[in-house]
Amino acid sequence: MAIEETSARTGLEPTPREKVTDPSPGSHLDEQKLKKYYIGSIDQGTTSTRFIIFDGIGQPVAQHQIEFSQKYPQPGWHEHDPREIIKSIEECIEVAVEDFVELGHEISDIRAVGITNQRETTVVWDSNTGEPLYNAIVWSDTRTSALVRTLKSKEGADELLNITGLPLSTYPSSVKLLWLLEHVDPVKKAYEEGRLTFGTIDAWILYNLNGGKEKDLVVTDATNASRTMLMNLHTVEYDAKLLDFFGLDGKKLRLPKIVPSSSAHEFGHFAYGPLEGTRIAGCLGDQSAALVGQQAFTPGSAKNTYGTGCFLLYNVGEKPVISKHGLLATVGYHFGGKREPVYALEGSIAVAGSGVKFLMDNLGFISHSNKISDLAATVEDSGGCVFVTAFSGLFAPYWIDDARGTIFGITQYTEQGHIARATLEATCFQTKAILDAMEKDSGHKLTELAVDGGMSSSDLCMQTQANIIGIPVNRPAMRETTALGAAIAAGFAVDVWKEFDELKEINQKDRVIFEPNITPEQSAKMFKRWTRAVEMCRGWVDTDEANGDF
């Protein structure tokens, strides 16, 4: 979701200042050497796919991006065509590699490729043919609402959070798999006959890029596996107790092998195309990849990615912290070898850039998403409007499944600019709620928030974010941090980088800091109004509507 900066003079005028980080005399970064190394990165997101080739200092050299089809067959349903996703990856690689060669490089200069992907999105395919048995069910899909309510009343449900780090919701992959088994006959039949393979998008991509059925590679990394609700967060292995709770027979269902996020051997090689024979050496769920791309390698560091949704991850170290305040516990990254997995607390917001897309596609407020800041800057503030963008319920830290998108405070004074500003503010308010929960869980207050993703390009949005959370917001000059994280995982596996100290210096130059420029009292007043709006949006969907009976 590309959103450009605005220089409009408003009450929340951006006040960024440059922060240039020069390599210190003892720098670990050999720039001349690293500029000769190249790592590819497949970034398979919710609405688009891109392939970026980075050099060894983390700068993009060549790239290509395309959008693919979004399918909404019923209210609350969201699907992708698994075949189209693979085709989009193939096209992006072909174009980016062609550009790379035109710049005078050799394909053999690309030492490895990493993958980062939308998480929780669920694919099932026939183990015998390699063909998908249904569309991919996207992470934001809410068709499982009634199923989740049933599961919450089941014996053992109260133990799941401590085992998986995840609350029962429509979010994890496991409940999507159960829906497929209950409602799609070819899936149910394949399961009964022992030929059903289940995977998240990363597993589907790796399976296909390695040649599909011929190589028959079915693997996933620890960050993606931790989002299925089938993996024990403490052991980083599938748990028989979890499979039993969801009624799944491990002998009938093929699950991907769980491996570290950075590995020279586990992810195989390209079986075809311009990168045929090139090693795939890294794999991270998109939000974990952004954590790595922001070099958040020390406990207490955090990042917030403003994409289709918005996801804030906070590094808690080598032992998981199970949240008591509505957050998720997840694997942040696992670089293998003798290293332990690094865990994170996570706050997930379902709607961020997709809220901007809603104003553009559904309401016609703007002709392109990058115009949202200009529209929002036509007014001094939101004019009393609060937009709770609960299109699929509210995620962390609220977890309100029966909420729906609601705009409060509309009067005859309200203009499009007020609603545009309220749309940007919605993500900022939810980020504030997540940070408050993280402070309670960790016992530490964040002193600065690193940001990336499409919406972070808006100075107005980032200044608003700094004002609402009351701490500086730190934005890198090169904001493809999710793709960079996957490239770092792959490069680390093939010794482009060997020490974390080297990685900490990547993409640190020319960052911009947004300092709060309103009083804490003003910020508290805004957040209080948001909190009241959240409470008022509860209970909008009744049981019949959640089951699809309108």
Side-chain angles (χ1 to χ4, degrees):
M1 183 62 60
I3 300 175
E4 64 185 16
E5 300 174 6
T6 178
S7 59
R9 299 285 170 177
T10 71
L12 295 181
E13 181 186 351
T15 56
R17 61 179 172 83
E18 287 192 348
K19 174 187 175 185
V20 181
T21 304
D22 295 318
S24 62
S27 172
H28 293 81
L29 205 63
D30 186 343
E31 292 194 6
Q32 293 305 313
K33 176 182 177 183
L34 291 173
K35 282 182 178 179
K36 300 176 183 178
Y37 293 159
Y38 300 96
I39 303 291
S41 179
I42 297 168
D43 184 354
Q44 203 298 297
T46 306
T47 59
S48 68
T49 299
R50 72 191 77 189
F51 182 67
I52 303 177
I53 301 170
F54 291 94
D55 64 20
I57 61 171
Q59 291 301 308
V61 177
Q63 61 183 294
H64 188 66
Q65 176 178 355
I66 58 175
E67 294 189 355
F68 56 91
S69 303
Q70 306 296 311
K71 302 178 185 297
Y72 304 101
Q74 293 187 37
W77 292 31
H78 190 183
E79 299 177 358
H80 293 155
D81 181 346
R83 298 181 186 87
E84 186 181 5
I85 285 177
I86 299 302
K87 288 179 181 177
S88 71
I89 292 170
E90 293 168 348
E91 180 179 335
C92 287
I93 289 174
E94 185 174 338
V95 175
V97 168
E98 184 177 324
D99 292 345
F100 182 71
V101 172
E102 287 182 0
L103 290 171
H105 305 293
E106 300 288 337
I107 294 177
S108 58
D109 293 339
I110 301 174
R111 301 190 60 170
V113 171
I115 294 172
T116 181
N117 57 282
Q118 52 172 314
R119 301 170 305 168
E120 291 94 14
T121 298
T122 301
V123 187
V124 287
W125 65 95
D126 190 316
S127 303
N128 293 341
T129 67
E131 291 297 314
L133 295 169
Y134 192 77
N135 280 335
I137 299 182
V138 180
W139 57 272
S140 59
D141 187 287
T142 59
R143 74 186 67 186
T144 56
S145 295
L147 174 60
V148 168
R149 281 195 296 274
T150 300
L151 289 171
K152 284 181 177 179
S153 64
K154 188 175 177 181
E155 184 179 355
D158 56 349
E159 300 177 44
L160 297 184
L161 180 63
N162 288 329
I163 300 173
T164 68
L166 307 176
L168 265 173
S169 72
T170 60
Y171 202 25
S173 309
S174 55
V175 294
K176 295 173 172 59
L177 175 59
L178 292 195
W179 186 92
L180 288 164
L181 288 169
E182 290 180 12
H183 295 88
V184 183
D185 288 340
V187 176
K188 182 178 180 181
K189 184 177 180 183
Y191 174 73
E192 293 297 338
E193 295 177 359
R195 53 182 175 83
L196 182 67
T197 301
F198 155 84
T200 43
I201 286 293
D202 59 307
W204 172 247
I205 293 170
L206 287 161
Y207 178 80
N208 281 274
L209 295 185
N210 273 275
K213 179 57 185 172
E214 184 176 347
K215 180 68 178 289
D216 201 28
L217 180 73
V218 182
V219 298
T220 188
D221 94 296
T223 68
N224 280 293
S226 72
R227 315 300 296 192
T228 63
M229 220 169 183
L230 300 176
M231 189 195 88
N232 186 312
L233 194 63
H234 309 271
T235 65
V236 195
E237 296 177 349
Y238 295 117
D239 193 299
K241 190 172 185 177
L242 296 173
L243 292 172
D244 183 63
F245 176 85
F246 289 107
L248 297 171
D249 186 342
K251 295 179 180 179
K252 294 181 178 180
L253 178 67
R254 186 178 185 188
L255 296 169
K257 177 185 176 183
I258 301 172
V259 302
S261 313
S262 177
S263 172
H265 308 292
E266 296 285 4
F267 301 117
H269 300 75
F270 284 85
Y272 61 93
L275 293 177
E276 182 177 352
T278 302
R279 188 191 308 271
I280 303 171
C283 181
L284 289 157
D286 51 9
Q287 304 314 318
S288 289
L291 190 73
V292 170
Q294 288 277 21
Q295 292 82 48
F297 298 122
T298 56
S301 53
K303 69 87 200 173
N304 203 23
T305 298
Y306 302 76
T308 302
C310 185
F311 302 87
L312 200 161
L313 265 67
Y314 180 98
N315 184 328
V316 297
E318 295 181 354
K319 292 185 178 181
V321 173
I322 305 301
S323 175
K324 297 180 180 179
H325 299 93
L327 303 178
L328 311 180
T330 191
V331 176
Y333 55 89
H334 184 198
F335 271 27
K338 296 181 180 179
R339 303 174 189 86
E340 295 294 322
V342 172
Y343 295 91
L345 282 170
E346 175 176 335
S348 309
I349 301 169
V351 176
S354 56
V356 176
K357 189 173 177 62
F358 171 78
L359 295 189
M360 179 178 67
D361 294 345
N362 296 45
L363 301 185
F365 277 24
I366 48 178
S367 59
H368 195 280
S369 59
N370 64 15
K371 300 297 183 183
I372 187 66
S373 289
D374 290 338
L375 178 58
T378 60
V379 295
E380 292 288 328
D381 52 39
S382 66
C385 281
V386 178
F387 190 177
V388 183
T389 51
F391 300 154
S392 303
L394 275 177
F395 285 10
Y398 307 106
W399 299 107
I400 308 173
D401 291 339
D402 58 7
R404 284 296 179 268
T406 317
I407 303 177
F408 296 94
I410 292 179
T411 68
Q412 288 181 314
Y413 170 75
T414 303
E415 300 175 5
Q416 288 185 340
H418 295 121
I419 295 176
R421 192 179 275 266
T423 304
L424 296 179
E425 289 178 353
T427 301
C428 300
F429 283 131
Q430 290 180 78
T431 297
K432 159 71 171 169
I434 289 168
L435 283 175
D436 288 350
M438 285 185 173
E439 182 179 348
K440 292 174 184 175
D441 278 327
S442 67
H444 300 285
K445 182 178 177 62
L446 201 66
T447 57
E448 183 177 86
L449 181 64
V451 299
D452 53 64
M455 283 179 68
S456 71
S457 296
S458 167
D459 281 358
L460 179 61
C461 186
M462 293 301 96
Q463 185 61 54
T464 301
Q465 185 68 88
N467 289 345
I468 288 173
I469 62 179
I471 59 175
V473 168
N474 183 330
R475 185 179 69 189
M478 197 289 291
R479 291 189 280 280
E480 297 289 0
T481 50
T482 301
L484 176 60
I488 287 174
F492 201 87
V494 297
D495 292 335
V496 171
W497 307 283
K498 296 182 180 180
E499 301 293 338
F500 281 108
D501 284 342
E502 297 177 72
L503 301 177
K504 290 177 182 178
E505 297 179 33
I506 291 174
N507 198 29
Q508 294 302 305
K509 296 179 181 179
D510 302 323
R511 299 178 79 95
V512 177
I513 308 297
F514 294 84
E515 300 279 359
N517 65 3
I518 64 173
T519 67
E521 291 75 20
Q522 288 174 296
S523 176
K525 183 178 179 180
M526 294 170 67
F527 188 65
K528 182 178 179 180
R529 186 169 56 194
W530 162 263
T531 301
R532 188 165 71 248
V534 168
E535 290 305 310
M536 293 171 68
C537 81
R538 290 178 181 270
W540 189 254
V541 179
D542 66 26
T543 303
D544 289 339
E545 288 174 342
N547 286 325
D549 300 327
F550 292 94

